Amino acid sequence: MAGGEGGMAMDQERFDAIYRENADSVFRYAMSLLSNPTRADDVRAEVFLQAWRKRESFRGSGSVRSWLLLITHNCAISLLRKVGREVVDSEQVDAVEPASADDDAVEGMRVEDGRVQWALRRLTAEQRQVILLRFVAGWSHDWIGERMGRDATAVRSMQYRALRKLRDLMGEQERAA
């Protein structure tokens, strides 16, 4: 990771710090794609193994977190393809600087929560993609729109409808319980 992190060669101590700072985010994103804690943990291990092996290829054009989430995405998609399940088209993810993911609309929702996983699986693939890229990966509406071939306004609209549907589905679950 010579580059964006101060332009210095990556040593074990720096890599350990990067692991501590990002391991939870990598796990949460993998969990959101895989809905399986064991597989998400396996993906997290693979992500950091690949990151260590490819540390010199990090160009520093984005944050280390973005780079790790890109690797996470690719590892999770590879695993999903192996088990025959599609979630998000890996061609649409690229290393970019993520936006803030502190939107009040998802406050209190944890992707690891089984109810959230259940509801996410009931969204359309496009709605799920917008929610995961916006609130789990933390990417901006503009960036998501570029990757989906839509403008940011259309992405915001999809996000609004997806969040409304997610809340409705979770409300149905609560009423049924």
Side-chain angles (χ1 to χ4, degrees):
M1 291 184 200
E5 293 297 311
M8 63 185 155
M10 179 59 59
D11 62 11
Q12 184 65 46
E13 186 176 317
R14 177 70 182 123
F15 192 80
D16 290 346
I18 288 170
Y19 178 86
R20 286 189 303 276
E21 293 165 10
N22 295 284
D24 288 342
S25 294
V26 166
F27 178 82
R28 283 192 304 273
Y29 187 47
M31 185 66 184
S32 72
L33 294 170
L34 301 168
S35 304
N36 180 307
T38 303
R39 286 185 177 155
D41 200 41
D42 290 345
V43 164
R44 174 173 45 190
E46 180 63 24
V47 165
F48 285 99
L49 178 62
Q50 283 188 27
W52 177 254
R53 288 180 180 158
K54 297 176 182 180
R55 66 191 178 277
E56 298 306 322
S57 70
F58 179 71
R59 291 182 183 30
S61 59
S63 72
V64 170
R65 180 175 179 259
S66 295
W67 185 64
L68 291 171
L69 291 177
L70 173 64
I71 297 170
T72 303
H73 182 86
N74 292 337
C75 287
I77 295 303
S78 292
L79 180 59
L80 288 171
R81 286 184 178 142
K82 285 180 188 173
V83 297
R85 197 171 141 216
E86 291 183 3
V87 174
V88 180
D89 181 5
S90 64
E91 304 280 321
Q92 295 181 346
V93 177
D94 190 12
V96 297
E97 185 69 32
S100 169
D102 58 356
D103 194 304
D104 292 338
V106 293
E107 188 174 323
M109 287 187 190
R110 298 196 48 85
V111 175
E112 298 89 351
D113 184 336
R115 295 175 312 126
V116 175
Q117 287 293 326
W118 176 86
L120 280 170
R121 284 192 295 273
R122 278 145 186 84
L123 297 177
T124 67
E126 203 170 58
Q127 288 174 328
R128 184 172 48 251
Q129 183 176 12
V130 167
I131 295 298
L132 294 176
L133 291 176
R134 178 73 182 126
F135 297 108
V136 177
W139 286 311
S140 71
H141 295 110
D142 290 326
W143 184 86
I144 295 167
E146 286 176 27
R147 297 325 180 268
M148 295 179 78
R150 306 205 179 208
D151 65 26
T153 303
V155 171
R156 283 185 189 92
S157 179
M158 277 191 290
Q159 174 188 310
Y160 173 79
R161 287 190 307 273
L163 287 172
R164 191 175 63 207
K165 185 173 179 181
L166 201 61
R167 277 190 233 108
D168 290 347
L169 288 164
M170 293 183 68
E172 287 174 25
Q173 262 191 333
E174 286 180 21
R175 286 186 293 278

